[in-house]
Amino acid sequence: MSAQTEEVAAGPAPRIGKGGAPPPRPRKRLADGVPYLLILPAAAVTVLLLGWTLVKNGLLSFQNLNPRQLIQHVTEWSGVDNYSEQLGSSEFWGVTARSVVFTAANVALIMVLGCLIGLLLARLGTKLRLMLSLSLVLAWAMPVVAATTVFQWLFDQRFGVVNYLLDTLGWHAMAGYSWTGGQFSTFFVITVLIVWQSVPFVAINLYAATTTIPKELYEAASLDGAGPWKRFTSVTYPFLKPFFLATTFLEVIWIFKAFTQVFAINEGGPDRLTETLPVYAFQEGVGSQHFGMGAAISILTIVILLALTAHYLRLVLKQEEDEL
């Protein structure tokens, strides 16, 4: 048999990959599409419940929708009049500035107190840690409306526990003090309520994150003579920096769009001085029955929140690039 005949009978030589290893098999197209199929149900539900609602709200913001239009089933398109009126209103920008300051103050308090309690959890014994964790979970799990009702009773002018305790301690001027009668006192009650509800999330998650830090790092820092503050800045904070950034980001979103606590305490009063953007949109839309205007304010609220979020993420990315 000739050499050519033997080569044909043997068939083509097997392909050999780089380094003598067999070549990689091509992936199946079906396997490549599996991740997309898995997230498809969640994405469909999100688009159905949130996307469509946002689209309808956006369309409503370009309409002049009052009780007359609702009764007559008439659609009156007003273009960008609702947006122009709000963007040219000093009241809108005053509420926006108030919302930003309110969010910054609450997030700062939540992060500081949450981190302190989380670090305390890491240093407590098993029994004390369990008791404190249980208390935090119970505070976190309490429904917002129920918690707001309790705080309304605590700070009640005539029968509130806070006024009674202050009067008992000798501060007799607080015996009949109205906590919802002024702007700053009302914001104080709302801030205490929101911080009390939000701190458990930060504290528990921070404690869980500290369990991932190798103990050898703390031992090495102690051998170098580092105190508690130095150990936090040189070991804990650098290791948990992604947690701090992500948690701060979430808290900014949650506090900025807080509605129930602000509205339930005093409905944005007194004299609408404690309205934040979500409450302002509700009052202008439902309270004044100018639903198109309320929809426009809600869209502007989303845009402002996206702008704040983009600015925050840009600062985070810039800081990470500088460290690299």
Side-chain angles (χ1 to χ4, degrees):
M1 184 180 296
S2 63
Q4 184 179 2
T5 305
E6 292 178 357
E7 183 178 353
V8 173
R15 295 176 60 189
I16 300 177
K18 186 176 181 180
R25 296 180 179 180
R27 296 181 178 178
K28 298 180 180 180
R29 293 183 177 180
L30 180 60
D32 293 341
V34 168
Y36 300 99
L37 292 176
L38 293 176
I39 66 173
L40 182 60
V45 172
T46 302
V47 171
L48 180 63
L49 297 180
L50 299 180
W52 177 243
T53 304
L54 184 61
V55 170
K56 292 289 289 184
N57 192 59
L59 294 175
L60 183 61
S61 68
F62 294 101
Q63 299 177 19
N64 180 28
L65 184 60
N66 294 319
R68 181 178 65 85
Q69 287 79 10
L70 288 174
I71 295 174
Q72 297 179 355
H73 299 282
V74 175
T75 300
E76 294 184 4
W77 296 97
S78 59
V80 296
D81 291 346
N82 293 331
Y83 292 97
S84 300
E85 182 176 343
Q86 287 301 318
L87 292 176
S89 171
S90 60
E91 183 178 5
F92 171 79
W93 291 112
V95 174
T96 300
R98 185 188 304 148
S99 301
V100 173
V101 174
F102 173 76
T103 301
N106 277 269
V107 171
L109 288 172
I110 290 168
M111 292 304 299
V112 171
L113 294 177
C115 292
L116 291 176
I117 296 176
L119 295 175
L120 177 63
L121 283 172
R123 299 179 65 88
L124 289 177
T126 303
K127 293 183 179 180
L128 291 177
R129 183 187 303 125
L130 179 61
M131 293 176 59
L132 182 55
S133 300
L134 181 61
S135 302
L136 292 171
V137 170
L138 290 176
W140 189 28
M142 181 175 290
V144 177
V145 176
T148 305
T149 303
V150 171
F151 269 73
Q152 285 177 321
W153 173 70
L154 290 175
F155 289 91
D156 185 74
Q157 181 178 359
R158 296 181 58 190
F159 307 105
V161 176
V162 174
N163 286 355
Y164 172 77
L165 291 177
L166 293 175
D167 182 40
T168 303
L169 294 175
W171 199 348
H172 302 297
M174 302 299 294
Y177 182 73
S178 175
W179 289 93
T180 58
Q183 180 183 26
F184 292 103
S185 58
T186 304
F187 266 132
F188 174 79
V189 176
I190 297 172
T191 300
V192 172
L193 171 59
I194 291 179
V195 171
W196 177 79
Q197 290 179 309
S198 303
V199 160
F201 172 80
V202 178
I204 294 175
N205 281 277
L206 177 65
Y207 165 68
T210 56
T211 60
T212 63
I213 302 177
K215 295 183 179 180
E216 292 79 6
L217 297 179
Y218 288 110
E219 294 176 356
S222 299
L223 292 176
D224 291 338
W229 175 251
K230 187 63 176 179
R231 288 198 298 270
F232 174 79
T233 56
S234 61
V235 178
T236 306
Y237 179 76
F239 201 89
L240 300 182
K241 188 176 180 179
F243 163 81
F244 289 115
L245 297 177
T247 305
T248 303
F249 173 71
L250 292 175
E251 291 295 339
V252 168
I253 295 176
W254 290 338
I255 302 303
F256 192 83
K257 67 181 184 66
F259 171 83
T260 306
Q261 300 92 329
V262 181
F263 184 80
I265 288 296
N266 200 20
E267 299 184 1
D271 299 327
R272 306 187 67 173
L273 292 176
T274 58
E275 284 184 353
T276 55
L277 279 174
V279 179
Y280 178 63
F282 178 83
Q283 294 285 25
E284 290 294 318
V286 179
S288 302
Q289 295 187 339
H290 192 172
F291 303 102
M293 186 69 71
I297 297 172
S298 65
I299 295 296
L300 290 174
T301 301
I302 296 175
V303 172
I304 292 173
L305 184 57
L306 290 175
L308 293 175
T309 301
H311 179 68
Y312 174 77
L313 292 177
R314 183 166 53 181
L315 292 177
V316 171
L317 294 176
K318 182 179 179 181
Q319 186 177 4
E320 291 181 354
E321 291 177 357
D322 294 339
E323 291 179 355
L324 294 176

